[in-house]
Amino acid sequence: MENKFKYSNDNKRYHTWNYHLQRKFGGKVFKVALNGGFTCPNIDGKKGVGGCIYCSSSGSGDFAGDPSHNILTQFEEVKERMHKKWHEAKYIPYFQAHTNTYAPASVLRERFEPVLKQDNVVGISIATRADCLEDDVLDYLSELNERTYLVTELGLQTVFDETGEKINRCHTYAEFLDGYKKLQDRNINVCVHLIDGLPGETTDMMLESAKAVAKLNPHCVKLHLLHVLKNTRLADMYARGEFELMTLEDYVETIVNQLEVFSEETVIQRLTGDGGRDSLVGPLWSLKKFVVLNEIDKLMVKRDTYQGVKYGE
């Protein structure tokens, strides 16, 4: 069946991150995941303790650089690992672990600037929370945005505050919208993260979260599967039988339903997450990442559907 989706040069019926970067920079670009040594307001006691219930001790930076090494050493180490897969590429340093704007702008400048000066770096991606955007930080992000390709990644996960309380997110959807608007007002690209399979959520709720985010028309989204990792509060909840894991079939159908409601111009950075083989409790089927992606492609072909077909409904 012919692929009529205009933001694709392969069989994908959604606007992939790889397609976006290839078109923007003229070749392969990959993210280099780093640990900037930050913490979070729901870890250090400002808003809560313990972090989000699904986060490992690395603060969702399990594949980031070694925090005992300085930023430039991390950059070289992770870059070389990635080059085993892609020999020729340009780079986007990705400050992934914890909340990477949870410090004064002077500290951010010390962490970010060294990697921006490295050869073949074409941008920077900064993972953070919508409630950690002080005025000095916003001014610095605006400066970065003038100089390079900046994407600020906001971990929303769900628009439902009752779920936010369950996962110890420690900020409301209204606070997210406030932070999102601050970035939009400064024309800063935003990537919104959503997690499917959170405790207590139905597939209808997951779709509602996607619809709400689609209305915001973000530059990018990441759609994650909930991973249960060892030594987390989520793992304890799962062991007590407090929620069930999504099946592959339910996840694939949910993702396709969500893709249909996003604008075709919104870049889809991710459709499933990574859980380390040694630390993953479940779902174990998620270890077969290409199987998951192939099943998504197959269902979209079966339905003859595309990203954006229900956008604005």
Side-chain angles (χ1 to χ4, degrees):
M1 189 176 294
E2 181 186 358
N3 185 2
K4 300 175 183 177
F5 187 64
K6 69 179 182 179
Y7 295 105
S8 177
N9 53 11
D10 55 20
N11 68 319
K12 302 297 183 183
R13 292 171 170 236
Y14 53 92
H15 195 157
T16 68
W17 178 233
N18 185 60
Y19 174 86
H20 169 71
L21 294 177
Q22 290 267 4
R23 293 295 295 268
K24 185 171 182 65
F25 297 108
K28 180 65 184 177
V29 181
F30 61 71
K31 292 167 83 172
V32 180
L34 305 171
N35 189 323
F38 297 96
T39 183
C40 296
N42 62 345
I43 288 179
D44 68 6
K46 181 177 180 180
K47 287 198 165 185
V49 293
C52 294
I53 62 173
Y54 46 76
C55 271
S56 65
S57 59
S58 65
S60 294
D62 299 79
F63 298 96
D66 186 337
S68 67
H69 298 168
N70 66 45
I71 292 298
L72 288 182
T73 301
Q74 288 185 45
F75 180 79
E76 289 301 319
E77 291 170 344
V78 176
K79 182 182 77 172
E80 289 310 308
R81 288 204 302 267
M82 299 293 286
H83 270 307
K84 292 177 181 178
K85 187 173 182 180
W86 297 291
H87 300 297
E88 297 291 333
K90 298 175 183 177
Y91 318 115
I92 294 178
Y94 175 29
F95 284 81
Q96 180 182 31
H98 296 297
T99 302
N100 293 278
T101 60
Y102 188 42
S106 58
V107 174
L108 306 190
R109 195 177 293 273
E110 291 174 359
R111 310 281 169 87
F112 300 163
E113 293 297 330
V115 287
L116 285 169
K117 296 175 183 176
Q118 301 307 299
D119 291 342
N120 293 317
V121 167
V122 295
I124 185 170
S125 192
I126 301 168
T128 190
R129 293 161 55 101
D131 60 343
C132 292
L133 296 168
E134 301 298 333
D135 288 344
D136 64 325
V137 169
L138 288 166
D139 289 342
Y140 177 51
L141 293 179
S142 294
E143 178 193 325
L144 284 176
N145 198 43
E146 292 294 320
R147 289 195 274 132
T148 192
Y149 175 63
L150 168 66
V151 180
T152 302
E153 304 198 19
L154 299 182
L156 172 60
Q157 322 313 358
T158 176
V159 303
F160 294 96
D161 286 340
E162 59 267 35
T163 308
E165 291 179 10
K166 287 181 183 177
I167 64 176
N168 200 45
R169 186 176 62 188
C170 296
H171 72 70
T172 64
Y173 181 46
E175 288 175 293
F176 167 83
L177 292 174
D178 181 59
Y180 183 87
K181 186 176 187 302
K182 290 176 181 178
L183 294 168
Q184 290 292 89
D185 286 348
R186 293 168 180 256
N187 295 314
I188 294 172
N189 294 320
V190 179
C191 177
V192 181
H193 295 210
L194 292 173
I195 296 179
D196 290 330
L198 292 169
E201 290 215 341
T202 64
T203 53
D204 285 344
M205 293 170 72
M206 299 169 207
L207 183 56
E208 286 304 310
S209 286
K211 288 179 178 179
V213 171
K215 289 179 181 177
L216 301 175
N217 201 27
H219 175 52
C220 308
V221 295
K222 282 185 177 179
L223 303 176
H224 291 270
L225 168 68
L226 179 70
H227 286 110
V228 180
L229 302 178
K230 294 177 182 177
N231 303 314
T232 61
R233 281 182 288 170
L234 186 68
D236 294 336
M237 292 171 61
Y238 180 62
R240 293 193 296 266
E242 295 180 18
F243 67 98
E244 295 182 357
L245 299 175
M246 291 189 83
T247 65
L248 172 60
E249 293 74 20
D250 284 345
Y251 184 70
V252 167
E253 184 170 3
T254 298
I255 287 292
V256 173
N257 290 341
Q258 290 174 322
L259 287 172
E260 289 178 334
V261 304
F262 283 106
S263 165
E264 61 184 14
E265 296 179 354
T266 295
V267 180
I268 309 299
Q269 277 210 35
R270 184 179 282 277
L271 287 182
T272 184
D274 291 308
R277 188 173 295 274
D278 294 335
S279 60
L280 183 67
V281 175
L284 295 179
W285 55 259
S286 67
L287 291 170
K288 298 179 179 179
K289 187 173 179 179
F290 287 107
V291 171
V292 180
L293 295 175
N294 286 339
E295 290 300 314
I296 292 168
D297 292 338
K298 284 161 61 177
L299 183 57
M300 296 190 84
V301 170
K302 182 179 179 180
R303 287 192 191 177
D304 192 22
T305 194
Y306 301 86
Q307 178 183 335
V309 296
K310 296 182 180 179
Y311 175 65
E313 287 186 3

